[in-house]
Amino acid sequence: MGYSDSAFPYKITPEFRKHQKRVFFITVLLYCSFHSSRTAWAYVKVSVTEDSYYTDKMIGIFDMCFMIAYASGLFISGWIGDRSNLKNFLAIGAIISVAGFITFSTAANTVHSVIFGSFCFLLNGFGQSRGFPGNMSLLGNWFEPRVIGIVVGCWTAGINVGNIAGYQFGRLIINDLGIHWRYALYISGACMVIMAAMLFFFLKSNPNSAGFQEDV
C-alpha cells in the first residue's frame, strides 16, 4: 500500500505516515517549549528588577544581547544545520539555551555583573536560534512538497501555544503561588529538556536514517 509523489523520493506508506506524524508533533512541542521560555522570561522581568541587583536598563542590555545572538545565530545555525545531524543539532541547541537562562536565574541574586548576564543571554539566544531552521529542515526532509505549505502553516500555530504556556507559567508561579520568579524559568527549562530528549530518542533526521529507501 502507499503512493508515490514525483516531487518526493520516498513512497508514502502507512508506516511512513506514522513517522511523519511523530516528526510533526514532537517538533511542534519542542518549538512550543522554545517560545514558552521566552514568554516566561518576559513575564518575570519585573520581578527580576524588584528582587535582584539588575535594573531595567540592565535587563534591556540582556534582551539586546539575546536578539543579537538570535539574529546572527539564525544564519550561522542554518549553515551548520545543513551539514549536521538535525536531531543532535536541535537537542544541543535546546540544552545551550537552557544552560544560559537557568545559569542566570540561579545566580542572579549572588552574581552582580552585567557581563555575566550578557553572556548568559548571548548563550540563550544562540541556542534558541537553532530552533526554527533546524525544525524547518526536519519537516522538509519528511514531508512531500505538495503538502509542506499546510504542514508548516499548522506547525507554526505551536508558536502561539508556547507563548500562552510561558505566560501562564509566569502567572501561576508569581501571582497565584507566590513562588520565586526563577521557578517559572526552571519549569520552562525542564520542558525544553524533556522535549529535546524526546526528539533525540524518538525521531530520525531523515527517512533514510529511519530505514526508508528512495523510490526510484
Side-chain angles (χ1 to χ4, degrees):
M1 295 179 64
Y3 70 90
S4 299
D5 185 326
S6 60
F8 191 66
Y10 301 96
K11 189 173 184 179
I12 311 301
T13 63
E15 183 64 23
F16 195 89
R17 283 295 188 213
K18 289 180 183 179
H19 280 267
Q20 287 181 320
K21 292 174 183 177
R22 187 182 303 168
V23 167
F24 180 86
F25 286 110
I26 291 180
T27 56
V28 164
L29 291 173
L30 176 66
Y31 205 58
C32 277
S33 71
F34 275 58
H35 269 264
S36 174
S37 69
R38 299 181 207 175
T39 312
W41 165 247
Y43 192 93
V44 305
K45 282 192 287 189
V46 173
S47 297
V48 175
T49 58
E50 293 173 349
D51 181 62
S52 71
Y53 161 82
Y54 298 102
T55 64
D56 286 336
K57 183 177 179 179
M58 294 174 184
I59 296 297
I61 292 172
F62 301 157
D63 287 342
M64 180 186 70
C65 289
F66 173 88
M67 292 307 301
I68 289 172
Y70 184 76
S72 58
L74 284 172
F75 172 77
I76 298 169
S77 295
W79 187 87
I80 296 172
D82 287 340
R83 294 158 177 79
S84 305
N85 181 303
L86 287 171
K87 71 173 188 177
N88 295 343
F89 172 81
L90 283 164
I92 291 170
I95 298 303
I96 290 172
S97 176
V98 170
F101 69 75
I102 293 299
T103 299
F104 173 80
S105 59
T106 301
N109 291 113
T110 55
V111 179
H112 298 161
S113 168
V114 176
I115 294 175
F116 164 76
S118 297
F119 174 77
C120 288
F121 280 88
L122 285 168
L123 200 64
N124 182 15
F126 184 71
Q128 291 259 345
S129 73
R130 292 188 170 211
F132 193 79
N135 280 305
M136 288 298 100
S137 293
L138 262 177
L139 294 177
N141 287 346
W142 277 99
F143 287 90
E144 59 271 33
R146 71 181 188 88
V147 300
I148 194 67
I150 187 64
V151 168
V152 172
C154 294
W155 185 92
T156 52
I159 294 173
N160 295 319
V161 174
N163 290 339
I164 293 168
Y167 180 88
Q168 293 302 321
F169 285 152
R171 184 190 60 78
L172 177 67
I173 294 298
I174 296 173
N175 297 96
D176 295 348
L177 299 179
I179 301 174
H180 197 279
W181 58 265
R182 67 167 58 98
Y183 288 95
L185 301 185
Y186 289 165
I187 293 171
S188 296
C191 289
M192 286 182 70
V193 171
I194 291 169
M195 291 300 104
M198 288 181 64
L199 178 136
F200 183 81
F201 289 110
F202 297 111
L203 287 194
K204 299 294 184 181
S205 295
N206 54 61
N208 283 341
S209 62
F212 294 101
Q213 300 299 317
E214 294 188 15
D215 187 24
V216 295

